[in-house]
Amino acid sequence: MNTTLSGIIILVFGIIASFLSASETAVTMSSRLRLHHLAKKGHERASMLLSLQEQMNTLISTILLINTCLFAGMTTLFTQFMAHFLGDWGIFLSSLVMGAFITLYIEVLPKIYAYQSPEKVALFLAPMLKLLRNFLSPITRLMDFIARKSLQFFRVKISSEPKSTEELRGAIDLHMGEGPIPHERAMLRSILDLSRVTVEEIMVHRKSMISFNSALPPKELCQKILGSLYARIPLWKDSPDNIVGVVMSKNLAQILQNQSKIDFETLMQPPWFIPNTSTLFAQLQLFKEKHNHLAFVVDEYGSLLGMVTLEDILEEIVGEITDEHDVELPGVRLVPNGDYLIRGSVTLRDLHRQYDWEFDESNASTLAGLILNETRSIPEVGDVIVIKGFSMKILRKMNHQLTLVRVTAPQPRV
């Protein structure tokens, strides 16, 4: 082949390969949020680029297939050119020269430029990439099929689950910087947690619920309800675990203004029971749909576990919502030497949110549950358990329930 023609072909192949190398980095690095914003404004190439990102496996296979063919063609032509002038030494030198040229000018430099302004490069190359992907689609799909079957043969599992949530978590951590978690980042991360945290992890346990016997004399029952600090009061019959209705103190006060005799049977709202496996996100949607702010949590056998309110879920997002009757964190008291006296019923999520203490919350939701899960037994009063550097001394126990624990937090590393 003519030397000049070979040089022109090598140059053209190199330019095409460099554009494709840049496009791989550009499409991967382009922000889906910015592209989505542009697409909503009617930007055609942004919509095109979003569709390319949704099929990244096919796009990468297309780019690799074309670049592999271009590199092979460039190397073959350059080897012939060098062999013509230098013989066997030319064959040896051609691989070194072409390898350095491809690495520097086709792989490194285009990708550095694309990394600096990925959306600009990706939007410019989007039509060409879409055309190449569609044209080579049968070949790339076959390659993808063979690659997946090969991985399966070596027992490598391929996850097809979307990673958008983890990408969002990473973006939140990246853009908010290092150091203590700011309030805004904590809120954003809490929103992402709503779909994996269950109501059982944040509910008020049935032993801590404020509820009254519906069989009490109406006058006494009115005094108890109006004297409580809560807007919605559960009523039970025969047993505190048998909730039969909910009375709103506001409705009771309004009725008392007009009449002295109260019929609690008609005043009560029917209780709403939900399974303990419901996620906070699903429950938040149900609260909105049913216009109800309180639900009772039951296990698979129908036994009452506790209750959860709309405020409980909102507090998971914005943090503790306190009023004039609340304390900073109920069940926790700081003693002068720096230790903490904590009730066993305090949840691990509250401790994490208030003091940024990291515990494994997968198998336990309260401090007492964490200790029982770690020890696999019921410790005695005076026993000391060390969990992740936290020294926990059992101070009080009622029957088999750990009611008070002294916690010594680990000293921060200097």
Side-chain angles (χ1 to χ4, degrees):
M1 184 181 291
N2 185 276
T3 303
T4 304
L5 181 60
S6 297
I8 294 174
I9 293 175
I10 291 173
L11 181 62
V12 171
F13 280 9
I15 293 173
I16 296 173
S18 64
F19 273 105
L20 291 174
S21 295
S23 67
E24 180 183 355
T25 300
V27 175
T28 304
M29 295 295 299
S30 294
S31 170
R32 291 185 62 85
L33 294 177
R34 294 197 192 98
L35 294 177
H36 183 70
H37 182 67
L38 290 174
K40 287 181 65 176
K41 290 184 175 181
H43 199 297
E44 185 178 349
R45 293 196 177 192
S47 301
M48 193 182 302
L49 193 53
L50 284 172
S51 68
L52 289 172
Q53 286 186 334
E54 291 173 358
Q55 300 178 353
M56 279 301 297
N57 288 347
T58 306
L59 180 62
I60 291 175
S61 298
T62 301
I63 293 173
L64 290 177
L65 173 63
I66 298 175
N67 269 3
T68 300
C69 294
L70 292 175
F71 293 161
M74 292 169 61
T75 304
T76 300
L77 291 175
F78 190 70
T79 300
Q80 291 178 352
F81 173 79
M82 294 292 288
H84 178 73
F85 289 99
L86 300 176
D88 293 340
W89 275 103
I91 297 175
F92 172 74
L93 290 175
S94 65
S95 60
L96 298 178
V97 174
M98 186 54 63
F101 176 78
I102 290 175
T103 301
L104 180 60
Y105 291 102
I106 298 181
E107 290 291 342
V108 176
L109 289 183
K111 290 184 176 181
I112 289 177
Y113 176 76
Y115 182 80
Q116 300 299 321
S117 49
E119 286 86 9
K120 179 181 177 182
V121 175
L123 291 172
F124 174 74
L125 297 174
M128 180 188 73
L129 294 175
K130 183 180 179 181
L131 178 65
L132 292 174
R133 185 199 65 181
N134 294 341
F135 180 73
L136 296 174
S137 178
I139 300 176
T140 54
R141 286 182 179 177
L142 177 62
M143 292 171 55
D144 187 64
F145 174 78
I146 295 173
R148 288 178 179 274
K149 290 299 181 183
S150 300
L151 289 174
Q152 290 178 5
F153 176 78
F154 291 105
R155 301 180 183 275
V156 178
K157 294 183 178 180
I158 304 173
S159 175
S160 59
E161 296 180 358
K163 299 182 180 179
S164 56
T165 301
E166 293 306 319
E167 289 174 357
L168 281 174
R169 293 181 193 277
I172 291 169
D173 291 336
L174 176 65
H175 291 291
M176 299 302 288
E178 301 292 337
I181 299 177
H183 183 64
E184 293 84 356
R185 180 166 60 173
M187 286 178 59
L188 292 172
R189 295 181 67 178
S190 296
I191 291 172
L192 297 178
D193 285 339
L194 292 181
S195 59
R196 65 181 188 180
V197 178
T198 63
V199 293
E200 187 177 10
E201 296 180 59
I202 70 162
M203 69 180 184
V204 177
H205 194 270
R206 67 178 186 273
K207 291 186 177 181
S208 303
M209 286 171 45
I210 302 298
S211 61
F212 302 120
N213 188 353
S214 62
L216 289 173
K219 184 177 180 179
E220 182 182 353
L221 189 54
C222 286
Q223 291 176 347
K224 287 182 175 293
I225 293 175
L226 295 178
S228 69
L229 303 177
Y230 301 100
R232 295 169 178 82
I233 305 297
L235 298 184
W236 50 269
K237 186 177 181 180
D238 300 330
S239 167
D241 291 344
N242 182 31
I243 303 296
V244 294
V246 178
V247 173
M248 296 186 63
S249 56
K250 179 180 68 173
N251 294 346
L252 177 60
Q254 290 175 347
I255 293 177
L256 285 174
Q257 290 178 355
N258 303 320
Q259 60 188 67
S260 58
K261 188 176 181 180
I262 302 296
D263 183 6
F264 281 97
E265 291 293 332
T266 58
L267 183 61
M268 285 191 305
Q269 297 177 351
W272 176 20
F273 297 99
I274 61 173
N276 60 332
T277 54
S278 295
T279 64
L280 299 189
F281 181 80
Q283 189 56 39
L284 182 61
Q285 299 300 314
L286 290 174
F287 276 142
K288 291 171 59 179
E289 292 173 8
K290 292 181 176 291
H291 305 287
N292 196 337
H293 292 183
L294 184 147
F296 298 95
V297 183
V298 296
D299 62 14
E300 59 184 312
Y301 303 106
S303 300
L304 180 68
L305 298 178
M307 71 178 188
V308 64
T309 65
L310 176 61
E311 182 179 336
D312 293 331
I313 298 180
L314 294 179
E315 286 180 343
E316 286 298 305
I317 301 174
V318 302
E320 196 73 21
I321 302 173
T322 59
D323 56 27
E324 63 273 17
H325 302 296
D326 289 334
V327 295
E328 186 175 5
L329 181 56
V332 179
R333 183 163 62 91
L334 181 64
V335 295
N337 69 344
D339 291 350
Y340 299 83
L341 299 181
I342 306 177
R343 287 205 302 258
S345 59
V346 174
T347 66
L348 300 179
R349 291 184 62 78
D350 283 341
L351 293 174
H352 171 70
R353 188 164 51 231
Q354 187 71 25
Y355 305 112
D356 204 22
W357 292 353
E358 291 283 356
F359 294 112
D360 183 9
E361 303 173 25
S362 58
N363 297 318
S365 57
T366 65
L367 180 63
L370 175 69
I371 295 173
L372 295 177
N373 184 67
E374 288 289 328
T375 59
R376 303 295 179 182
S377 62
I378 302 177
E380 299 296 331
V381 173
D383 288 353
V384 177
I385 300 96
V386 178
I387 302 175
K388 292 195 172 182
F390 290 82
S391 177
M392 303 181 184
K393 183 177 182 180
I394 311 302
L395 297 183
R396 193 185 304 156
K397 190 171 94 169
M398 182 178 295
N399 296 329
H400 301 303
Q401 182 182 3
L402 307 181
T403 57
L404 188 64
V405 181
R406 178 188 289 268
V407 177
T408 304
Q411 295 297 323
R413 296 180 180 178
V414 180

